[in-house]
Amino acid sequence: MRVWDLPTRLFHWVLAVTVLGSVVSAKVGGAAMVWHFRLGYVVFALLAILAPLLFPASQLDVTQAAGMPYEPPSGAYWLGTDVSGRSVLALVVWGARVSLIVGLSVAAISSILGLALGLLCGYFRRVDGLVMRASDLLLAFPAISLVLVRSFGG
């Protein structure tokens, strides 16, 4: 058994549980569906965090690719290979690391900014109106840009 067989089997198991859970919960009710998707997110996050252990960086190197170009999904490569013979699953898991870093960074920055603005507005009552108008302005941008595109763009 190869080193990368375990995460690929885990990937397929989580995918099957998520799809099966969404089909079953669609008939039962929407509340049961939530935990299946959360389980999928947790497992994908764990795969992304453990990517250096499960998929060494040498597997991503074009010169050291073990597979043939464009192999279909098989027991060795559950998602197949790319043009260079690299495992697509390894590329997806390593790409998920970047997505996790960006998502968590944006969430942390927006939480810190929201906390600071909330404390500022709670302590200084006169700032509340200014911050409220600024947030209204930011929320209006999508509508304003849509109107401009619609009126000038055709």
Side-chain angles (χ1 to χ4, degrees), residues 7-144:
T8 53
R9 289 180 188 196
L10 185 64
F11 170 78
H12 278 270
W13 181 81
V14 169
L15 189 63
V17 167
T18 304
V19 170
L20 182 65
S22 64
V23 169
V24 169
S25 64
K27 295 182 180 180
V28 174
M33 185 170 58
V34 174
W35 76 269
H36 293 287
F37 287 114
R38 286 185 183 160
L39 175 68
Y41 289 141
V42 167
V43 170
F44 286 132
L46 285 175
L47 279 175
I49 291 169
L50 299 174
L53 298 173
L54 300 173
F55 302 102
S58 63
Q59 289 184 4
L60 305 177
D61 191 12
V62 178
T63 60
Q64 297 178 358
M68 296 297 293
Y70 296 120
E71 276 190 42
S74 64
Y77 302 104
W78 284 77
L79 296 180
T81 60
D82 66 351
V83 68
S84 301
R86 299 174 295 179
S87 172
V88 174
L89 180 62
L91 294 172
V92 168
V93 169
W94 275 89
R97 292 174 59 88
V98 175
S99 298
L100 272 176
I101 291 170
V102 169
L104 291 175
S105 301
V106 167
I109 290 170
S110 63
S111 296
I112 291 169
L113 184 64
L115 178 69
L117 284 176
L119 288 172
L120 186 71
C121 291
Y123 192 71
F124 300 110
R125 294 284 184 188
R126 294 183 184 204
V127 179
D128 186 32
L130 180 67
V131 171
M132 189 62 114
R133 296 299 80 77
S135 66
D136 288 343
L137 181 69
L138 289 174
L139 289 173
F141 266 120
I144 290 171

